[in-house]
Amino acid sequence: MSFQAMAWAVDQKLPSKDKFVLVMMANYADEDGKCWPSLNRLASDTSMSRSTVQLAIKGLEAAGMLRIEHRSQDGV
């Protein structure tokens, strides 16, 4: 967990569901601010549905709060 990422996330003025997802993502962030929790993990951590988490992430990306980097492993 990155303390800086958590402190930054808590300080943001966002709708509650978006902020909760951002805080949970910050909880998984490394010292460079990168994190890779699955949608299932975030849904479980926040007690939200996967679709609600996806909507929150899209909103956070649109607001410039995070950047999504699609990655693959062994072509998947």
Side-chain angles (χ1 to χ4, degrees), residues 3-4 7 11 14 16 19-20 23 29-30 36-37 40 47 50 52 55-56 58 60 64-65 70-71 73 75:
F3 176 77
Q4 292 84 5
D11 197 40
L14 296 165
S16 59
K19 186 170 188 170
F20 194 21
V23 168
D30 63 16
W36 302 273
N40 287 339
S47 298
R50 279 177 49 105
T52 299
L55 286 173
K58 285 180 183 179
L60 291 166
M65 297 285 170
H70 298 278
R71 56 192 186 117
Q73 184 173 4

Side-chain angles (χ1 to χ4, degrees), residues 44-55:
S44 175
D45 288 350
T46 60
S47 298
M48 296 179 194
S49 68
R50 279 177 49 105
S51 61
T52 299
V53 170
Q54 285 176 307
L55 286 173

Side-chain angles (χ1 to χ4, degrees), residues 1-3 5-6 24-37:
M1 169 180 71
S2 167
F3 176 77
M6 287 290 287
M24 287 294 99
M25 292 181 77
N27 186 51
Y28 289 104
D30 63 16
E31 292 304 317
D32 295 323
K34 295 181 180 182
C35 64
W36 302 273

